[in-house]
């Protein structure tokens, strides 16, 4: 297919990095990402409807992995935009109460609509034996008492369960975002406001590169004899460079599925250091 999982992830992440580097507000960032992802989803739909799939495996792969990545991010950014455009402007009790309520709503939605379903357990366990039922078009079983949104899906571009998968992805991202808003120990935005840091100490590579470095330090147990968690290591770098990294976990999992080298930045570091060493010879 024209759209591979790797290409979609790279394309979305490049857009995220570009918008983030422009130092826009969260509201502006989420609005632009929502528009971008909506256009991307439309172009992918046009391609799928016009070109179709070569075989069943290609169709299943698309609706299990490719479309949910786009739709999941779209749901996530749209939700953040709605949350941020209605939240209190200060950082007092009302502010934290607001985000705590948002987290409670997310947990309630998770309990009512996700965690108790057979599909949720199937997807979380990594099973694939029912993929031909869940991720092929035309297999919606109305006897299962599905959510009424099933009547709004386009049968040419949805199996309904690709939407459920996207919701799981979106909820995971939203959970991480809300946690950083209500927990001061994991909220670099709050720390930045109370921390003096030289303006010239800035991270000028991509966020992905920094996350790659953070995970390498964590995996090598070279900070605190391996007793320091990934979140605390991440927070130290976020404070040092005054850069938010709210998508740490998912960024790492995207690295694991990279085409080619999975340690692009670390490879570049090694080459740069060896070149620097050679200059002194």
């Amino acid at each position: 297919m024209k759209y591979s999982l790797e290409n979609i992830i790279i394309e979305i992440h490049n857009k995220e990095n570009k918008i983030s580097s422009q130092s826009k507000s969260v509201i502006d960032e989420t609005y632009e990402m929502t528009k971008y992802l909506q256009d991307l989803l439309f172009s992918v739909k046009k391609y799928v409807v016009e070109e179709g799939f070569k075989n069943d495996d290609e169709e299943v792969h698309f609706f299990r992995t490719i479309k949910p990545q786009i739709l999941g991010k779209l749901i996530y950014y749209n939700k953040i935009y709605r949350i941020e455009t209605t939240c209190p402007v200060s950082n007092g009790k009302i502010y934290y109460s607001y985000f705590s309520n948002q987290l409670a709503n997310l947990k309630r939605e998770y309990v009512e609509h996700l965690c108790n379903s057979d599909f949720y357990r199937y997807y979380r366990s990594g099973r694939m034996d029912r993929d031909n039922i869940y991720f092929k078009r035309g297999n919606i079983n109305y006897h299962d008492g599905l959510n009424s949104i099933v009547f709004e899906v386009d049968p040419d571009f949805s199996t309904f369960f690709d939407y459920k998968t996207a919701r799981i992805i979106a909820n995971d991202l939203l959970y991480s975002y809300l946690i950083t808003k209500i927990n001061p120990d994991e909220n670099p935005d709050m720390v930045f406001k109370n921390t003096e840091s030289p303006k010239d100490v800035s991270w000028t590579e991509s966020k992905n590169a920094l996350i790659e470095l953070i995970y390498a330090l964590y995996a090598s147990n070279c900070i605190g004899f391996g007793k320091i968690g990934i979140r605390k290591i991440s927070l130290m770098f976020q404070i040092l460079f005054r850069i938010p990294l709210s998508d740490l976990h998912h960024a790492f999992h995207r690295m694991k599925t990279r085409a080619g080298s999975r340690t692009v930045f670390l490879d570049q570091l090694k080459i740069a250091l060896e070149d620097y060493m050679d200059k002194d010879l």
Side-chain angles (χ1 to χ4, degrees):
M1 282 192 67
K2 173 186 175 183
Y3 294 98
S4 70
L5 178 61
E6 293 77 14
N7 289 340
I8 287 294
I9 290 175
I10 291 172
E11 187 173 338
I12 293 174
H13 211 72
N14 286 342
K15 186 66 174 181
E16 288 174 325
N17 285 337
K18 180 180 180 181
I19 293 177
S20 179
S21 66
Q22 295 171 349
S23 300
K24 297 177 180 290
S25 68
V26 174
I27 292 175
D28 288 339
E29 285 189 25
T30 52
Y31 176 73
E32 288 197 25
M33 283 303 302
T34 298
K35 288 203 311 178
Y36 162 75
L37 289 164
Q38 189 175 28
D39 290 342
L40 177 60
L41 188 64
F42 178 80
S43 65
V44 171
K45 176 181 179 178
K46 185 173 184 293
Y47 179 84
V48 166
V49 172
E50 291 179 355
E51 301 295 329
F53 301 101
K54 294 179 181 178
N55 50 51
D56 289 349
D57 288 342
E58 192 174 79
E59 181 177 358
V60 167
H61 176 68
F62 176 81
F63 286 112
R64 180 184 173 105
T65 62
I66 297 178
K67 183 186 172 186
Q69 282 293 332
I70 305 171
L71 183 56
K73 279 292 185 81
L74 176 57
I75 295 171
Y76 165 70
Y77 278 112
N78 182 59
K79 184 67 174 178
I80 295 299
Y81 177 80
R82 293 173 60 188
I83 289 174
E84 289 290 347
T85 51
T86 56
C87 79
V89 294
S90 66
N91 292 306
K93 291 182 179 179
I94 297 178
Y95 178 89
Y96 288 110
S97 175
Y98 173 82
F99 282 103
S100 295
N101 288 336
Q102 293 293 331
L103 182 60
N105 291 338
L106 181 67
K107 290 180 178 178
R108 191 180 307 113
E109 179 183 307
Y110 163 77
V111 171
E112 292 177 357
H113 301 292
L114 286 179
C115 71
N116 292 322
S117 69
D118 291 337
F119 174 74
Y120 184 81
R121 289 188 289 271
Y122 172 86
Y123 180 76
R124 283 299 194 199
S125 67
R127 288 169 52 192
M128 303 179 70
D129 53 288
R130 294 178 63 84
D131 277 6
N132 282 328
I133 297 175
Y134 288 134
F135 299 109
K136 279 189 63 181
R137 293 166 296 179
N139 289 336
I140 296 177
N141 185 355
Y142 296 96
H143 291 293
D144 290 341
L146 301 174
N147 190 292
S148 58
I149 197 173
V150 71
F151 301 114
E152 300 179 24
V153 302
D154 184 344
D156 291 328
F157 191 61
S158 181
T159 71
F160 177 65
F161 289 97
D162 59 90
Y163 168 76
K164 300 280 281 187
T165 303
R167 285 288 300 275
I168 293 171
I169 294 172
N171 280 16
D172 286 349
L173 293 171
L174 186 57
Y175 177 81
S176 297
Y177 181 84
L178 293 175
I179 285 294
T180 65
K181 287 291 186 179
I182 65 176
N183 188 342
D185 292 334
E186 297 184 8
N187 187 350
D189 289 337
M190 295 301 299
V191 180
F192 295 160
K193 294 179 180 179
N194 301 310
T195 305
E196 293 186 2
S197 177
K199 293 184 178 179
D200 59 341
V201 179
S202 61
W203 182 259
T204 54
E205 254 288 357
S206 68
K207 288 185 179 181
N208 256 7
L210 182 56
I211 292 172
E212 189 177 320
L213 176 61
I214 290 170
Y215 266 96
L217 294 172
Y218 171 71
S220 62
N221 295 328
C222 62
I223 297 180
F225 300 100
K227 297 179 181 179
I228 306 297
I230 189 69
R231 285 189 178 275
K232 287 189 176 181
I233 297 174
S234 167
L235 186 60
M236 289 189 293
F237 279 93
Q238 291 179 75
I239 294 171
L240 174 63
F241 296 121
R242 305 179 72 84
I243 179 173
L245 299 172
S246 59
D247 195 13
L248 197 74
H249 177 73
H250 288 83
F252 174 69
H253 281 279
R254 288 194 294 268
M255 291 176 193
K256 292 165 65 175
T257 59
R258 280 176 178 168
S261 174
R262 297 187 295 178
T263 56
V264 177
F265 180 62
L266 297 180
D267 296 343
Q268 292 174 353
L269 284 182
K270 181 176 182 295
I271 294 172
L273 180 58
E274 289 178 341
D275 288 345
Y276 185 77
M277 289 175 173
D278 292 341
K279 291 179 181 179
D280 294 334
L281 295 179

